[in-house]
Amino acid sequence: MPTTDVPAGTIEYDDTGGSGPVIVFLHGLFMSGTTWREVVPRLRDDYRCITPTLPLGSHRIAMKPDADLTMHGQTHLVADFLEALDLRDVTLVSIDWGGGLFLTAEGRDDRVARLVICPSEAYDNFPPGLSGKVAMLACRLPGGVGLGLRQLRVSWLRNSPLMFGALVKKGVNDEVAHDWTAPGLASADVRRDVRKYGGHPPPKAELIAATERLADFAGPTLVVWAPEGKMMPPEHGPRLAELIPDSRYVEIADAHTMVNEDQPDEFTRHLREFLRDTDPHAEERIPAR
């Protein structure tokens, strides 16, 4: 797996390569870039798909001991990653974790041409839902992160509403769960990194202000929401779409937060339509087949 260095440390990522339009996919807490394993194969022939693994608990390379891994620091880490790979005209896809929405508030969205906002933390919804609160509590308790990771390896508990059941309606299988939990179980430094994030939540007023700065984002935006999901309030999807000047809104049924896991075909269809309609030069950059 390739790596790149940013001020916070070394980031692993997958890159399908090619000269097609660039899509960068972000992920949530205790997940990796493999969150997008159902979507990338549906796009890779036409687009350059890049899936970094952020230091949110499933990363295999610990960050520098002094790295800022709070929401603020992780948002800058995403911008630093785009800069390190010299990516431009990026379609940035966020899901679950809200930091990808806050690049505009941090003045770091110059490489982002389009946003795709799947159900994500926004406004004052942090930590999101019951499972988010459980995860943040684990980050504050001594030994809590390791205990939580071990619990994620127990199928019935992992897929309960207390954990991934709130995010993925169809559940997360053992193979994926073992992949996501292995780094944190193996490394105290990885557990330290995720505690930096979960143990220092930003003030809600700061989150609301950062979300509202999306009104300044000038590029096209697709808001994809799952009204059936419980972690991200159903009203936040339409609210975000109304906030962002050049946006469109779609809903995906029979899905929780992780619409890419529960309904990958439908999500990919919406994403392709959005890219086709908002990038006039996309056809020129899609390799001939």
Side-chain angles (χ1 to χ4, degrees), residues 81-254:
F81 175 80
L82 301 182
E83 185 175 310
L85 294 187
D86 195 25
L87 301 175
R88 302 175 187 275
D89 195 29
V90 169
T91 297
L92 186 67
V93 184
S94 292
I95 198 165
D96 184 31
W97 178 62
L101 280 61
F102 303 147
L103 291 175
T104 299
E106 299 289 349
R108 300 291 307 274
D109 64 356
D110 55 302
R111 293 174 180 267
V112 179
R114 284 163 295 280
L115 282 175
V116 178
I117 303 174
C118 303
S120 301
E121 299 158 342
Y123 298 105
D124 62 347
N125 186 36
F126 187 91
L130 179 59
S131 59
K133 293 176 175 60
V134 169
M136 294 302 102
L137 179 61
C139 289
R140 294 187 181 92
L141 294 176
V145 172
L147 175 62
L149 290 169
R150 289 191 293 274
Q151 290 173 333
L152 284 173
R153 291 196 163 193
V154 180
S155 178
W156 68 267
L157 186 55
R158 173 177 69 249
N159 292 317
S160 74
L162 287 173
M163 293 189 169
F164 283 153
L167 286 95
V168 186
K169 185 175 182 179
K170 70 178 185 181
V172 174
N173 65 41
D174 286 344
E175 181 181 358
V176 172
H178 278 244
D179 178 60
W180 287 351
T181 55
L185 288 172
S187 170
D189 288 341
V190 168
R191 297 194 296 274
R192 173 208 66 199
D193 288 348
V194 77
R195 285 197 303 272
K196 285 186 178 183
Y197 173 76
H200 300 88
K204 291 187 182 294
E206 182 179 311
L207 290 169
I208 293 170
T211 302
E212 291 178 343
R213 284 292 303 279
L214 282 169
D216 298 329
F217 182 70
T221 300
L222 173 64
V223 180
V224 183
W225 222 253
E228 187 179 331
K230 304 300 183 185
M231 286 188 67
M232 312 303 170
E235 65 272 16
H236 278 189
R239 188 175 170 188
L240 286 165
E242 291 176 6
L243 173 70
I244 303 168
D246 184 5
S247 66
R248 64 176 70 179
Y249 175 73
V250 297
E251 293 183 348
I252 292 183
D254 196 24

Side-chain angles (χ1 to χ4, degrees), residues 233-279:
E235 65 272 16
H236 278 189
R239 188 175 170 188
L240 286 165
E242 291 176 6
L243 173 70
I244 303 168
D246 184 5
S247 66
R248 64 176 70 179
Y249 175 73
V250 297
E251 293 183 348
I252 292 183
D254 196 24
H256 289 171
T257 295
M258 308 299 291
V259 293
N260 56 319
E261 292 268 356
D262 285 325
Q263 299 293 342
D265 283 327
E266 186 174 358
F267 170 76
T268 304
R269 176 174 62 82
H270 286 303
L271 178 55
R272 280 187 175 276
E273 290 176 357
F274 170 69
L275 292 171
R276 180 196 65 208
D277 294 346
T278 60
D279 185 356

Side-chain angles (χ1 to χ4, degrees), residues 19-72:
S19 58
V22 177
I23 310 174
V24 175
F25 296 90
L26 306 181
H27 62 81
L29 191 66
F30 298 124
M31 301 176 193
S32 72
T34 61
T35 296
W36 298 99
R37 68 198 177 281
E38 298 287 346
V39 171
V40 168
R42 292 166 164 84
L43 295 167
R44 64 181 304 145
D45 288 342
D46 297 325
Y47 296 91
R48 180 184 176 189
C49 300
I50 300 175
T51 52
T53 292
L54 306 174
L56 289 170
S58 296
H59 55 298
R60 298 187 299 181
I61 303 174
M63 297 294 101
K64 296 176 181 177
D66 62 348
D68 178 2
L69 299 178
T70 62
M71 177 72 84
H72 172 85

